[in-house]
Amino acid sequence: SEEHQRAAILYRTVRAKVVQARDKEWSVFLKEHDLPTVSTMATRLRGRPVVDEDDLCTLQRLVRTGVPVAFRGLLWPLLSGADERQRAVEALATVFDTVQATGRDERYVALVERAGLDPSAPDACGRTVPPAGIPASVWKDIQKDIDRTFPGHALFAQGADGPARLQRILTAFAITHPRIGYCQSLNFLVASFMCLYMREEDCYYMTCALVDNVLPPDYYTQRLLGMHVDQRIMLRLVKGTSPNPAAHVVCHQHRTNP
């Protein structure tokens, strides 16, 4: 109806202004504080070094308003602990003395090479025999989901190197997380980081930090228990505040999962 159209236009207009104001505030904050300082504040958010409390409160407030898309590739690794985790691993990288200094993260490259994959290949490996350290069932699931991941996105289009990079990240994750290996939707999680134009290694460490440190236990497992619990909690909250949409969701669930 016309009323709904007017409401939608008003919402988009107001939302655009709110986002514009938020992005401007983030820009000012980042100009006033270089990234190492923001990294220190992010570490404090996780309960460690003390920094200026006013700056810390500002960062907390800004994070809760949402990180602008343009800054996510830089800030998400800092805020999640992925950057700190990568630096700690790099300090131990000398144990991998077979890896040459290429400007890439040596620990990650070593994981990929250990699996028998080429760390710089532009095409995904189509081998049927699983790489070393990965069960055949896990490798089969990874291979199956590579082509299903954002096929309409330029990064994963035919001839792009996105599928090969995705395959390497998921393979490295499966090696370092044998209890999980690979489970459904990990491909979309990693691909979302890739779409922010993060380096391949950064996507790997970001995934590790999110699964190991940020999300509740058993979120990404074969049973996806944590994810199912979250969905039930969300549905209960929606039922309490918006019963009509909740009823629609429940009806749809019954139709798709009889």
Side-chain angles (χ1 to χ4, degrees):
S1 66
E2 289 187 12
E3 184 178 351
H4 286 153
Q5 289 178 346
R6 286 196 299 269
I9 292 172
L10 178 62
Y11 170 79
R12 286 195 293 267
T13 303
V14 173
R15 175 63 180 165
K17 291 181 178 179
V18 170
V19 170
Q20 186 178 26
R22 179 205 67 184
D23 291 359
K24 183 178 180 180
E25 192 172 7
W26 265 108
S27 297
V28 171
F29 181 80
L30 291 175
K31 285 180 180 178
E32 293 176 350
H33 303 85
D34 57 11
L35 282 179
T37 304
V38 174
S39 179
T40 304
M41 284 189 276
T43 304
R44 175 67 182 94
L45 286 175
R46 299 188 297 276
R48 289 190 282 277
V50 177
V51 295
D52 184 276
E53 289 298 325
D54 290 338
D55 287 341
L56 182 60
C57 290
T58 301
L59 179 61
Q60 285 180 306
R61 180 177 57 78
L62 286 173
V63 168
R64 287 168 180 159
T65 66
V67 179
V69 175
F71 300 146
R72 288 175 187 173
L74 284 173
L75 293 177
W76 277 6
L78 295 177
L79 298 170
S80 67
D83 185 70
E84 182 182 9
R85 182 182 188 133
Q86 184 171 356
R87 289 198 306 271
V89 169
E90 285 174 348
L92 302 175
T94 52
V95 299
F96 299 97
D97 52 11
T98 58
V99 181
Q100 301 298 317
T102 60
R104 298 186 62 181
D105 180 89
E106 294 183 355
R107 165 66 168 158
Y108 175 77
V109 172
L111 283 171
V112 172
E113 290 185 337
R114 195 176 94 189
L117 300 179
D118 184 344
S120 57
D123 300 316
C125 176
R127 60 193 285 181
T128 55
V129 178
I134 296 184
S137 59
V138 171
W139 178 246
K140 181 179 179 181
D141 288 341
I142 290 175
Q143 293 290 77
K144 191 165 52 179
D145 279 355
I146 294 295
D147 292 335
R148 299 176 178 176
T149 307
F150 298 157
H153 195 287
L155 190 61
F156 299 94
Q158 187 175 7
D161 66 348
R165 292 163 54 201
L166 176 63
Q167 183 186 58
R168 290 193 290 267
I169 297 167
L170 293 175
T171 301
F173 181 87
I175 291 174
T176 54
H177 294 73
R179 189 177 71 88
I180 299 174
Y182 175 77
C183 70
Q184 188 179 14
S185 76
L186 265 177
N187 57 318
F188 292 112
L189 179 69
V190 173
S192 297
F193 297 146
M194 293 173 63
C195 289
L196 295 174
Y197 301 102
M198 289 185 183
R199 291 190 315 156
E200 187 174 321
E201 293 90 328
D202 294 339
C203 293
Y204 164 74
Y205 284 107
M206 187 73 199
T207 304
C208 292
L210 192 66
V211 172
D212 296 342
N213 304 331
V214 178
L215 293 173
D218 297 322
Y219 212 84
Y220 281 101
T221 60
Q222 294 301 320
R223 294 175 59 198
L224 297 172
L225 180 61
M227 193 173 294
H228 289 306
V229 170
D230 259 6
Q231 289 173 355
R232 288 177 180 271
I233 293 173
M234 183 66 183
L235 182 58
R236 180 170 295 184
L237 291 172
V238 173
K239 282 181 178 179
T241 58
S242 306
N244 290 338
H248 177 75
V249 171
V250 172
C251 180
H252 179 73
Q253 285 179 331
H254 287 317
R255 286 202 305 267
T256 56
N257 300 298

